[in-house]
Amino acid sequence: MIKVYGAEKKCPSCVNLPSSRETAEWIEAAVQRKYPDNPPDVKHIDIEDPKSASDPIAEKVRQEEYFYPLVTVNDTVVAEGNPRLKTVYREIDKIKAPGPDAAVQSKK
């Protein structure tokens, strides 16, 4: 699961960048193209929404420990501010990579 944390209001240093919601949509479109058979889910987390109050990563963004938009892949922070797709893909590939047993099985 890819999560993109942010707020509707852009941070002052992010005025010229896409919003966190736009970033989530961009990442979702990109991962659907790169992984068409099994794209990871992408979810936008609005840090100002009361529903995100119990999310510890959203709290860290609210407390300004991270810049937003903040991108996580399976709760591992992979980007903040202006995310790079290569960084996101690298983390997804780590998760999707077959284990050593898969390589052994394919040789049979």
Side-chain angles (χ1 to χ4, degrees), residues 12-102:
S13 63
C14 304
V15 173
N16 295 322
L17 297 174
S19 71
S20 58
R21 187 171 305 280
E22 291 167 331
T23 299
E25 291 169 356
W26 170 66
I27 290 173
E28 182 173 37
V31 297
Q32 286 177 350
R33 282 191 306 273
K34 175 122 173 118
Y35 307 99
D37 296 332
N38 189 17
D41 291 328
V42 178
K43 183 176 181 182
H44 177 260
I45 308 291
D46 185 344
I47 61 169
E48 296 175 345
D49 187 330
K51 295 175 188 171
S52 71
S54 63
D55 186 316
I57 296 175
E59 181 58 28
K60 287 180 179 183
V61 176
R62 279 191 292 277
Q63 296 301 320
E64 298 181 2
E65 291 182 42
Y66 291 114
F67 294 110
Y68 61 87
L70 176 79
V71 180
T72 64
V73 176
N74 284 359
D75 297 325
T76 298
V77 174
V78 295
E80 57 182 309
N82 187 14
R84 304 276 184 238
L85 284 176
K86 283 185 179 184
T87 309
V88 175
Y89 292 158
R90 192 175 310 123
E91 191 64 27
I92 294 169
D93 289 340
K94 281 189 216 175
I95 294 164
K96 289 185 175 275
D101 293 337

